[in-house]
Each structure stands twice: as C-alpha cells, then as structure tokens.
Amino acid sequence: MVIADQAPPDIVDRMLWRDAQQMLERHAEPDHDGNCVWCGWRWPCAPRRLAERADAASRRPWREAWTVRHDLNSIRAMPGLRAGMEDNHGRHGQAGARNRGYFD
C-alpha cells in the first residue's frame, strides 16, 4: 500500500495519486492471452487507462485532477462495476470476471 506522505514532490493531488497507484498495481499487466491479470478485460483495460490518466492528472493543476477524481468516483459508484479484492480472488483473468465488469 502506498502512503500519501511518500508521494513524489511534484504531486498536486496526493489522494488522486494514491488511488491511481493502487489501480495501476492491480491492473498491472496482461496475461498470456493479452487480457488484464486483474479484471480479465482486453489489455490495456479501461481501469488501467483511467489509472494512467489519474496518475498524470495528479501532477497537474487542481481543475484537471478534480475532473479525473470525478471519473474515478463515478466508476466506483456504479452498481456491478466495483468489487473489492476479496471479490476477485480466484477469478483473475477468467471470462466470468471479464463479463461481470469488475474494475478494481
């Protein structure tokens, strides 16, 4: 886990940066079939791309960071699109997880 105090000095929005790092760790790489190892979607998956945007926005003026933070929170608020780590164990890379749309 990343601690907000350990953020690089160029970070404007530390919380957004921390959230981006957590998503980047989960959606880290493709499996042998070219799907995300966490959610099973085609690599690079939508959560990975959003996390990359959030990482970049965390270094920009607050207006841009706020917009990406809103995007992250919108995904988390949608029913069926968010699952905790405990919900994904044993389903990484399987078609079932991909079809359910689990993001992070």
Side-chain angles (χ1 to χ4, degrees):
M1 175 177 232
V2 176
I3 298 173
D5 293 338
Q6 295 176 345
D10 63 334
I11 300 300
V12 175
D13 187 332
R14 292 178 186 273
M15 185 178 270
L16 179 61
W17 179 82
R18 187 190 69 217
D19 288 347
Q21 298 311 304
Q22 289 174 347
M23 285 183 71
L24 288 169
E25 287 174 11
R26 291 178 181 170
H27 303 272
E29 60 189 352
D31 61 13
H32 62 280
D33 293 327
N35 297 321
C36 177
V37 295
W38 181 261
C39 66
W41 285 24
R42 193 77 186 145
W43 183 261
C45 59
R48 173 70 188 202
R49 293 189 309 268
L50 179 58
E52 289 169 351
R53 279 184 49 215
D55 182 57
S58 69
R59 293 170 169 79
R60 295 187 194 132
W62 69 269
R63 288 181 187 101
E64 293 180 48
W66 181 84
T67 302
V68 175
R69 170 149 305 287
H70 176 72
D71 293 345
L72 282 174
N73 290 335
S74 295
I75 284 178
R76 290 182 176 149
M78 295 177 70
L81 293 181
R82 175 166 163 60
M85 291 179 67
E86 66 279 354
D87 294 335
N88 264 356
H89 286 271
R91 289 193 282 213
H92 298 278
Q94 294 180 3
R98 183 172 50 253
N99 292 336
R100 286 181 194 83
Y102 293 120
F103 276 129
D104 58 26

